[in-house]
Amino acid sequence: MNQKSSLREVPQFVSRALTANIQQLRELERDGIVTRTVHPQVPPKVEYALTKWGQAMCPALDELLEWAALRPKPWAETPTRSGTRK
């Protein structure tokens, strides 16, 4: 793949990523975790905010992040291609 063809793919990638993010936000809205406010203006503006239910999840998510931070980093102990450890 040359640089020209890879540059043509960037807008498609960005479009797919944005579509996926919008779908995730709509699911969070449907589940009552966020609220969506559409402002009638040009350019269009949409704001998302956590509901009380969404805010109630924050302590549990903080605990999960702390737990994940304790995980050993396996790549720090793996040999490199030259055979030495990092």
Side-chain angles (χ1 to χ4, degrees), residues 37-52:
T37 304
V38 179
H39 299 277
Q41 66 184 49
V42 177
K45 179 179 177 181
V46 178
E47 291 182 319
Y48 290 88
L50 285 174
T51 62
K52 287 188 180 201

Side-chain angles (χ1 to χ4, degrees), residues 48-77:
Y48 290 88
L50 285 174
T51 62
K52 287 188 180 201
W53 175 244
Q55 291 173 2
M57 292 174 40
C58 289
L61 293 174
D62 288 340
E63 290 289 328
L64 184 60
L65 288 171
E66 288 178 24
W67 171 80
L70 297 174
R71 181 176 183 230
K73 300 189 177 26
W75 58 87
E77 296 297 323

